[in-house]
Amino acid sequence: MQLTDLAFPLAWRERAALMARALLDHDMYLVCAHIRLDGDALSSMAAMGCFLEQNHKRFLLYAPFGVPENYDFLELPAPVYRSLEALPFRPRTVLALDCGDPGRLGEELSREMSDFSCINIDHHPGPGMGSIASLVVPEASSTTQVIASVLHAAGCEPEGRLAQALALGLITDTGGFRHANASPEVFALAALLEQNGVSIHKLREKLEKTWSYARMRLWGHMSSQLQLLDNGRLALCCLSLDSMEELGAKSEDTEGYVEHMRELRSVLAACLVREQSEGVCKFSLRSTEGVDVRSIAASLGGGGHVNAAGGTLNMSLESAERTLVKVVTRALEEQRAEAHAAHSAR
Ligand code: 5GP
Ligand code: MN
């Protein structure tokens, strides 16, 4: 089997080709992703920007919170605008990436979405969006993996900064090829990108050797706050705005910590709750196989994937903590009951 046959799955090809056609049929794009960009969201924007540039399309990159500092080494095809008012021309089509939910585009754009047509590419299961075209592949590890297939369908060979961007998205959304979503297709795509000149180990080095002293101290603080509940099955950490400020840490400095919590031997579910502003808390949930944190997050108005999900709660940190402990321990209890019933039925 050819590497390309594995890297660009046959099952996605028809839909990827339709998306490639839709992208080439339109112009004047506003390329964006979910607010507070993670690696996959930023990489998706960068890769699509490179592709649009190659195809002589007009496009603007938009992210209300800008580019997180730890990814500032990534070469972007254009500047990133933080407000719609600052845009040098009025785009026609929103190209929404890695987002799934119009509400996650940020307040400003969510409000104005009815003024634009929309093309959507994503890997989050859910209702999705996109008035012109939508390609949602929940079995994909990352939105960048979906984009790689779309670009392949358009006859685009990933090289240079485009290939870098694709690799960065793959690395970050698979936790450095460690999560369950690191499929044979992911490894094949990574091999292809490496063959095309990307150095994955150098990219990882850039990603890893970025710690500020404040981040290191924040992780120490979070570890000192960590609680183990439900006989060690649930790891919980609550982070107040005050302690973030005291340590001089930024919100992106918490990225990766909830995965670290899951490394505890006894833990089946990890929950990080962070006070974002007064009365607004962001929660992140991670689990090992068998515990569906997506439904837990969805029951609180959030979303995500089976083993990685999150959301926002409009309440104090104490209330958010109580709410999450209640729903997560209940889910763990239900999972035990189900496992027990399945075992007894055998
Ligand atoms: P994180 O905890 O790293 O912010 O997010 C984990 C996963 O849950 C990601 O796939 C992310 O897109 C999703 N997620 C996080 N917050 C929300 C939210 O408020 N709404 C929805 N629908 N998904 C979310
Ligand atoms: Mn993603």
Side-chain angles (χ1 to χ4, degrees), residues 206-240:
K206 280 190 184 146
L207 276 170
E208 282 155 21
K209 200 153 172 56
T210 56
W211 282 59
S212 62
Y213 183 53
R215 181 181 169 107
M216 190 64 82
R217 296 221 311 154
L218 175 71
W219 280 47
H221 172 76
M222 291 193 288
S223 295
S224 73
Q225 296 293 304
L226 192 71
Q227 304 173 55
L228 278 182
L229 306 169
D230 197 12
N231 281 320
R233 294 183 194 96
L234 169 61
L236 174 75
C237 177
C238 300
L239 186 59
S240 71

Side-chain angles (χ1 to χ4, degrees), residues 179-194:
H179 298 335
N181 60 2
S183 59
E185 291 78 9
V186 165
F187 285 107
L189 180 56
L192 210 133
L193 295 171
E194 185 86 27

Side-chain angles (χ1 to χ4, degrees), residues 34 38 98-99 101 104 123-124 258-259 282-286 301-305 308-312:
H34 64 75
D38 61 11
D98 197 42
C99 183
D101 170 359
R104 298 192 71 218
H123 72 132
H124 294 95
V258 67
E259 281 83 12
K282 160 98 186 88
F283 65 89
S284 289
L285 292 167
R286 299 292 184 272
H305 310 277
T312 303

